[in-house]
Amino acid sequence: MKLCLGTVQQGLEYGINNKYGKPSKEYSQKIFYEAVKHGITMFDTARAYGDAELLLGEYLKEHGNRNEIKIISKLRPNILEGCKDIYDTICRECEGTLKRIGVESLDGYLLHTPEYIRDPKVVSALLKLKEEGYASHIGVSIYNIEDGDVAINTGAVDYIQLPFSIFDQRGKNSGFLRRAKEAKITVFARSIFLQGLYFMDAGSLPEKVKRAEPMLRNWELILEERHANREEVLIEFVKQSKEIDYLVFGVDTVEQLQRDISVFESESKLDETIWNIIGEKFSDVEESIIIPSLWAKQERKGK
């Protein structure tokens, strides 16, 4: 398993527990530089991540390591609604991404709207994009296991990104991770910190994630009883799944980056029984807690 640095925090003011806001361009460059210095060569970005693509492009221009860095980006969400020429649209969008980053091709180009993987015309367009050399790999970023299984069944997908964390064990419990690896698909685990939710105080949650309070109290109790570090448990949980190839993580500061890399590279000292407890406590957490796009709906209900 390797680390992949997500860039949404550099392109947008992002995360439910973000205390720093969107970093400056100069500070973002420091984060990228520090990541590469520590051996991270895979970066995940998207057209929807504000100016993240541009920031990556400026970093590459400044440091000239285009051959060293692999970049995954994603098609703008919902861009194909009512679209007459799917390939032309996807191609145009990808060309825009290449221009912003300043590279001739991407390591990966993914669908950011997972439902699109169900459209054979979209899959064909992605395959053509790959054949034309715009990207070495194609795939999809999913929220639900059903879309992941559709992606596997296309026989065309190289990369799948899925949310995977202590509260969100669907990929493991459903057998999806195993099925993806059997299909020789490279799997990226994202949302491992759930936008920072795991680091929040259970007693002072905003309305939109208030439903997570019982889960967070259980989580805090486990950490307290085991004298365990939050980051170590969260990162090690992902490392336990051998079917995962890349752990995608984002940071707000250089210090966070250094800490997460250190935890990832260190040998775990956790008592193995903690995984049984976590498996039992959080095996079936409701989607309104583990899918951030549903949080806003909860907030509206609470008003």
Side-chain angles (χ1 to χ4, degrees):
M1 187 182 298
K2 296 180 180 179
L3 289 173
C4 170
L5 184 67
T7 62
V8 64
Q9 275 121 308
Q10 282 63 64
L12 297 169
E13 188 168 322
Y14 177 83
I16 194 170
N17 197 35
N18 184 343
K19 300 179 177 68
Y20 304 95
K22 183 180 180 294
S24 68
K25 179 176 74 173
E26 292 75 20
Y27 196 76
S28 293
Q29 303 301 307
K30 286 183 181 180
I31 289 174
F32 298 156
Y33 180 85
E34 193 71 17
V36 174
K37 189 175 85 173
H38 282 83
I40 295 176
T41 57
M42 184 74 83
F43 285 72
D44 176 74
T45 191
R47 181 66 179 88
Y49 294 171
D51 57 358
E53 290 181 337
L54 287 169
L55 290 168
L56 268 176
E58 290 181 19
Y59 170 79
L60 292 175
K61 184 178 180 181
E62 180 72 23
H63 296 282
N65 48 10
R66 286 176 173 80
N67 295 328
E68 182 183 3
I69 302 299
K70 295 179 179 180
I71 296 176
I72 296 169
S73 194
K74 309 178 194 76
L75 182 70
R76 247 193 300 177
N78 306 316
I79 192 68
L80 300 179
E81 303 305 313
C83 179
K84 293 182 180 178
D85 192 329
I86 290 173
Y87 176 72
D88 182 66
T89 300
I90 292 177
C91 184
R92 189 172 62 248
E93 288 288 314
C94 188
E95 286 175 341
T97 285
L98 293 174
K99 185 176 180 181
R100 280 184 291 276
I101 300 174
V103 293
E104 294 182 358
S105 66
L106 297 167
D107 179 73
Y109 198 58
L110 312 185
L111 299 174
H112 215 160
T113 306
E115 295 83 5
Y116 287 163
I117 197 65
R118 297 174 178 270
D119 187 339
K121 292 180 181 177
V122 174
V123 176
S124 295
L126 282 178
L127 280 169
K128 185 176 179 182
L129 195 81
K130 180 180 171 182
E131 290 168 5
E132 295 290 335
Y134 286 91
S136 301
H137 306 91
I138 56 173
V140 60
S141 180
I142 65 169
Y143 294 94
N144 298 305
I145 300 304
E146 293 79 7
D147 289 324
D149 281 322
V150 172
I152 291 173
N153 291 334
T154 65
V157 165
D158 305 302
Y159 287 174
I160 292 179
Q161 290 188 5
L162 81 158
F164 187 71
S165 67
I166 282 169
F167 288 177
D168 189 353
Q169 302 179 31
R170 295 172 297 166
K172 179 181 178 181
N173 294 340
S174 66
F176 173 77
L177 291 175
R178 175 183 49 78
R179 294 193 294 275
K181 291 318 295 176
E182 287 173 352
K184 296 182 170 34
I185 290 170
T186 300
V187 176
F188 294 74
R190 58 172 170 76
S191 300
I192 71 160
F193 298 141
L194 205 51
Q195 291 194 17
L197 180 66
Y198 292 111
F199 298 91
M200 298 182 76
D201 176 19
S204 56
L205 294 173
E207 187 63 39
K208 63 182 179 180
V209 288
K210 201 72 175 173
R211 296 171 74 92
E213 183 175 346
M215 296 291 113
L216 279 178
R217 290 200 184 280
N218 281 335
W219 162 238
E220 290 171 351
L221 186 62
I222 291 170
L223 292 172
E224 184 180 342
E225 290 176 344
R226 299 282 163 160
H227 307 287
N229 172 274
R230 289 174 191 253
E231 277 142 317
E232 181 180 7
V233 179
L234 292 166
I235 289 172
E236 193 63 30
F237 176 76
V238 180
K239 286 173 66 178
Q240 296 291 308
S241 296
K242 303 306 179 187
E243 301 95 340
I244 293 171
D245 299 284
Y246 284 91
L247 184 157
V248 183
F249 72 115
V251 298
D252 299 312
T253 68
V254 169
E255 291 73 24
Q256 284 179 1
L257 175 72
Q258 293 169 335
R259 189 166 61 247
D260 290 345
I261 292 172
S262 176
V263 170
F264 179 81
E265 292 179 344
S266 299
E267 188 173 343
S268 174
K269 297 181 175 61
L270 293 167
D271 186 334
E272 291 295 315
T273 58
I274 194 173
W275 308 124
N276 295 330
I277 296 169
I278 285 172
E280 292 169 5
K281 291 281 186 183
F282 309 124
S283 63
D284 190 23
V285 178
E286 60 183 277
E287 290 190 349
S288 62
I289 293 173
I290 58 178
I291 300 181
S293 61
L294 299 178
W295 291 350
K297 295 178 182 179
Q298 299 302 315
E299 187 175 35
R300 286 195 293 270
K301 285 181 184 178
K303 289 182 178 179

